[in-house]
Amino acid sequence: MFYKGSYLLLAVFILALFSASAVAADATLPASSWYAVAWVQATDTLHWINESGEQASIPRPVMLNEAGELTQKRLFISPNGRYLIIVSPLNSGNLGLGFYDFSTGQFIQTHEAQPNESLSLLPSADFTMTSSHFSIVLRNDVNGDWRILVFETATGDAVAQLLRTDPTLPANFMTDTAWWPSIAAFHIDEAMGTYVVQLQLVTDPQAMHTAFPSFRWYPEPPPLVADAPIVPDALPFSPIAGFDVFKPTGQVVFTGFEGNGTPSSPAIGNMIATQTSPDQLPVPLISNNAFTLNSAQWLRGNEWVGYRVQDGLFQPHFSVAAADGSTDVPLGPNISSIHGTPDGFLGVDASNWQVYHAIDLTMDGFSAFFGNTVFQAGQPFSIVYTQPKGATFTLTTIVESPLIGDLDLQAPNGASCPGAPAIRLTVGETARVTFTDGTPLNIRNAPSGEQLMQIPEGTVVTVIDGPSCANGYQWWNLSLGNGTGGWAAEGNQESYFLEPFDNTVEPIDPLRIAPTATPIVQIPGNVVIAVPLECPLSPPTRLQVGMLAHVDGTDGTLAMYSNATDEIPTYQLPIGTNVTLLDGPRCKGEIRVWHVSAVVNGSSVMGWVAEGYGQLYYLTPGLRPINAVIGAGG
């Protein structure tokens, strides 16, 4: 239904077509009422799960010239389960989009985005329910420009595009670069008989907006709206606080804001509500005037609703309610995420990394375990796909990519080094031995040569030559600044041994964190819940899990620790660095710390940081102001 070719503004850099006979392995999936896919990042493998447990697994397909940490990659699987779209940094420094067919083991097409383009933090991609098309929002991190692209899934062709400067945008469409669109849903407009992308405009969360302008974009406009393909919509929900669309009916469940009081964050509302269509009023389902609710989503099709509770009394936890309001069951705080299936939902247990499948709501309140265990990984993973209710799962055979183990990881000088990770170092720049498990780095007299010495984690060096490929490693000649030096490997497929490091900013004294006992309390149902201690050396907290914040109030950088009990920091976060709060708080050494994710030197990192000391805050709620002056590396 779309016009082809005329909107293609991405630079296509490879069309990888391999015969099915060239693949390494395949796996047959038995028929099932639903499937889910788990991504184990430590092994970079995908695992297919159904109500009977794991059915198949393969190494994750990897694009040629793919770069970056695994935490920088996003995976999107079509509702029919057949197509995978990988969004990842490339060795060029730009973002890549790879279209992969699980049933053939082939990359259909791969695109390279324009410089400085990235995905936004908010909902920024979606498939049609039929899996025929895929839409994505790309935003320029430097000038604020954005564009929405529509692709044909089976070919990877870009077939439509909407730009911030498009002359068809209506007058009330916010075109200021401080605003950008998010995709609420990509589906079929039954009345028009064509595809439609439902959009919401969003801005910096510090603005505390609780309502956002919404629009409908018809990529192939029918005659009725041919002259105005973008029309106003009436979506009442905030994409920051969380929402979910049940595409077979268009019904939405969302986190809302109502009544008296002011929310502490635009990511936390005081109401979970449903709405059947934009021209009807929302129907409240759950209310909490303390503003503690977010992350609303449909479960069991649209029969149940899941949502997050962060009330400050107990650890944050999920709850599941019947859509008719008859049942509302809180889950244990060990459940880190929930995901709908046609017959119920999946709960990810982050305490021992396994998945529970529930088809009823008969579990006790705050249950740590429920239903049947359908997947056990023993290490962190994420659920990247669950089959939507109403979608037909068409994948019967999974074919492993022939590119696995034969990646073309290009060095700046054009040399390739199979088995080595993507190059991040540059001759003439400084680097640092990464903090991993305490193992020192070997320095040799030549690439893969004889060992001269070892240098400890955290040592800062200057890169003076390289890279040189030997025995599956990229080797760099390093100077230690005292007349000594030698060759060292940059890393392997599991981790980097050296990382880029800007030592032009003096770090603040590291915050020493000592273990402190956390008391537990007993609540009804015999479930033990940890309650954070008051942290007397920190100012009153202004943060909650799920919020966005930025580094502030320091003279240099903020120390980040891989574990809250570590004595030596893993990274330093410059002033102005934006972070996402993942867990916490914890009280260590009478200082409140939070588990956060951030981007440092172009790589995503996670660790524990202090909220503040005395009356000084190191973390301020909200993203860094656009015009703020930040320190080096920000």
Side-chain angles (χ1 to χ4, degrees), residues 138-223:
L138 297 177
R139 185 168 184 249
N140 190 299
D141 297 327
V142 175
N143 61 26
D145 277 343
W146 54 260
R147 56 181 176 152
I148 310 169
L149 288 138
V150 173
F151 295 87
E152 190 175 65
T153 309
T155 65
D157 289 338
V159 294
Q161 179 176 243
L162 180 67
L163 300 174
R164 182 182 68 86
T165 55
D166 195 298
T168 63
L169 292 175
N172 59 341
F173 199 105
M174 303 286 192
T175 57
D176 185 281
T177 54
W179 290 79
W180 65 93
S182 66
I183 298 176
F186 186 21
H187 56 98
I188 293 177
D189 186 323
E190 299 289 351
M192 295 289 186
T194 187
Y195 296 100
V196 61
V197 184
Q198 286 189 277
L199 304 172
Q200 279 190 303
L201 298 184
V202 295
T203 188
D204 189 335
Q206 288 190 102
M208 295 300 293
H209 287 271
T210 57
F212 296 82
S214 57
F215 299 86
R216 288 176 170 246
W217 172 44
Y218 294 89
E220 183 186 346

Side-chain angles (χ1 to χ4, degrees), residues 60-82:
R60 178 185 65 85
V62 179
M63 292 186 289
L64 291 175
N65 297 311
E66 186 176 313
E69 303 286 348
L70 291 177
T71 54
Q72 294 178 284
K73 306 176 191 301
R74 297 293 180 266
L75 307 185
F76 302 93
I77 297 178
S78 59
N80 65 5
R82 177 172 175 176

Side-chain angles (χ1 to χ4, degrees), residues 362-375:
T362 59
M363 68 282 288
D364 293 332
F366 293 100
S367 291
F369 313 99
F370 50 83
N372 297 318
T373 301
V374 293
F375 182 62

Side-chain angles (χ1 to χ4, degrees), residues 127-134 151-154 195:
F127 287 93
T128 57
M129 193 67 168
T130 61
S131 303
S132 63
H133 291 83
F134 175 76
F151 295 87
E152 190 175 65
T153 309
Y195 296 100

